[in-house]
Amino acid sequence: MLSRTADHLFWMARYTERAENTARMLDVHVQTALLPQSADDAEQGWRAVLGISELLYGYNQKYDKLTQQDVIDYMVRDPNNPSSIASCLRQARENARAVRGALTTEAWEIQNATWIKMQSYLQTNALEHSPSDFFEWVKHRSHLSRGVTIGTMLKDEAFHFIRLGTFLERADNTARIIDVKFHGARESQSQTQPGQPGKNGDGQIDFYYWAAILRSVSGFEIYRKVYRDVITPERVAELLILRPDMPRSLLACMGHVLSNLKNVHNDVSADTERFAGKLHADLKFARIEEVLDAGLHDYLTVFLERIFELGNRISRDFLVPLAA
């Protein structure tokens, strides 16, 4: 396959997944913002969302103060923000249009219809009145794109590059969601021990906080099936990092990245496969106690650096190399 075709397919999938994960992050923060908290805590929470998405500098360049509505507007519809949901869906559609011949008709039509509907959606005030409904729509369109890809495309190199982009982006975003939400929990619940009910009903707040985090990665029902017990931060971390049967966990994502890399193997990709294999093995044989003892934030920071490096290696070996 031509590297430019592979590049378009890879980034079409990454942008689609990025739009979904941005919607997930915003939705869970809109939900947790409804919990009792001070104005300073609320502002710090939204600042953390911008920070973990590496958008704080761009936001500060445009806005004088930080408000929930401005953050949502910047991360959803701002055309000058390359990571906004609108920008991601536009880029996904443009990449799909460039390689229509490599896609089935259904796969192309999903991308095109999503972008058209997105434009009309943002011309209304639906986002302001019911942001959660909009975020659910974004997630639903991503599910449709993924399902049509699996259900209609030949399992050839084109398919594997799409899946490679999906799971690499998902691993990156899941790590970011875990990091920002656990950081927020440390800040807002510093008076209580992890996983233990606090005073004056704080245990009830803890439950809704961690339940919202799980719902942000479609993990609430899965948590209940796996642990059948109260929600604790340690188990949430274990589920989202180390469970191979949790679809959005870091380990599951890296398993898919590794298998799809093997399916597109070429003469220069052996080192990249080894790099991905080591990252997968480090997750596969890790224990959550070791991760937490080493510091969750530090662990996730290193993971994100390695994912970034892996993306660069994939671009070098298979795609149009990223500009220096």
Side-chain angles (χ1 to χ4, degrees):
M1 173 177 286
L2 292 174
S3 61
R4 187 165 295 280
T5 300
D7 188 78
H8 284 303
L9 294 168
F10 177 83
W11 282 105
M12 177 195 76
R14 288 203 70 163
Y15 280 120
T16 301
E17 185 71 21
R18 188 174 300 176
E20 177 186 348
N21 282 284
T22 299
R24 287 177 177 276
M25 183 182 293
L26 288 171
D27 193 24
V28 71
H29 208 78
V30 167
Q31 299 300 321
T32 54
L34 299 175
L35 297 174
Q37 58 184 319
S38 68
D40 286 343
D41 286 342
E43 180 177 330
Q44 285 302 315
W46 287 108
R47 191 177 300 279
V49 170
L50 289 166
I52 202 64
S53 303
E54 299 182 5
L55 297 175
L56 189 57
Y57 177 80
Y59 179 90
N60 288 334
Q61 292 293 106
K62 183 171 182 178
Y63 297 95
D64 294 330
K65 61 180 181 178
L66 192 148
T67 67
Q68 173 176 316
Q69 190 55 52
D70 285 342
V71 172
I72 291 175
D73 191 75
Y74 183 69
M75 295 186 69
V76 170
R77 57 159 52 100
D78 194 326
N80 296 317
N81 172 13
S83 294
S84 70
I85 291 174
S87 294
C88 287
L89 293 181
R90 176 177 58 83
Q91 288 294 334
R93 188 257 186 190
E94 288 304 306
N95 277 285
R97 185 175 63 85
V99 288
R100 285 185 61 176
L103 300 171
T104 60
T105 300
E106 294 90 342
W108 155 248
E109 287 179 348
I110 287 292
Q111 295 290 343
N112 193 44
T114 298
W115 170 239
I116 293 172
K117 177 62 176 176
M118 175 76 179
Q119 290 177 295
S120 62
Y121 214 129
L122 295 183
Q123 290 173 359
T124 70
N125 57 4
L127 180 61
E128 289 75 16
H129 283 294
S130 184
S132 289
D133 287 346
F134 172 78
F135 298 140
E136 283 298 323
W137 175 82
V138 174
K139 290 187 280 184
H140 177 66
R141 298 304 297 186
S142 179
H143 297 331
L144 279 177
S145 176
R146 192 159 49 247
V148 166
T149 298
I150 295 172
T152 69
M153 287 192 64
L154 183 69
K155 305 307 184 286
D156 58 0
E157 283 190 331
F159 175 84
H160 292 303
F161 277 115
I162 291 172
R163 300 291 281 171
L164 186 58
T166 294
F167 288 108
L168 192 68
E169 184 68 29
R170 183 178 298 179
D172 179 274
N173 280 276
T174 297
R176 292 176 186 274
I177 288 175
I178 297 168
D179 196 21
V180 70
K181 300 316 294 181
F182 272 74
H183 177 75
R186 275 199 311 274
E187 295 295 324
S188 64
Q189 299 166 357
S190 58
Q191 301 96 333
T192 62
Q193 293 297 315
Q196 298 300 318
K199 298 178 181 179
N200 304 320
D202 285 345
Q204 200 170 37
I205 295 177
D206 287 351
F207 171 81
Y208 287 113
Y209 189 94
W210 295 113
I213 294 171
L214 288 168
R215 287 192 175 97
S216 73
V217 290
S218 300
F220 183 75
E221 291 84 2
I222 293 174
Y223 184 99
R224 300 295 292 270
K225 287 180 180 179
V226 170
Y227 296 105
R228 300 179 182 274
D229 204 345
V230 296
I231 299 175
T232 67
E234 292 83 1
R235 288 172 177 168
V236 172
E238 181 180 53
L239 182 72
L240 301 186
I241 296 173
L242 302 180
R243 287 287 304 198
D245 48 0
M246 164 62 185
R248 306 189 79 86
S249 75
L250 302 187
L251 177 55
C253 290
M254 285 309 305
H256 286 292
V257 168
L258 186 59
S259 64
N260 282 285
L261 265 177
K262 290 178 179 178
N263 284 319
V264 296
H265 173 87
N266 64 23
D267 294 339
V268 298
S269 64
D271 283 342
T272 297
E273 289 178 49
R274 279 194 290 270
F275 187 87
K278 187 175 187 304
L279 182 50
H280 176 257
D282 289 346
L283 288 163
K284 182 177 181 179
F285 296 107
R287 296 175 62 87
I288 194 60
E289 296 83 6
E290 297 169 349
V291 172
L292 296 176
D293 287 345
L296 184 61
H297 175 69
D298 292 340
Y299 180 88
L300 292 172
T301 298
V302 172
F303 178 84
L304 287 167
E305 290 172 352
R306 296 172 77 185
I307 281 289
F308 180 76
E309 172 64 19
L310 179 57
N312 286 338
R313 287 170 177 256
I314 290 171
S315 293
R316 180 196 67 198
D317 293 346
F318 301 102
L319 313 176
V320 178
L322 297 173

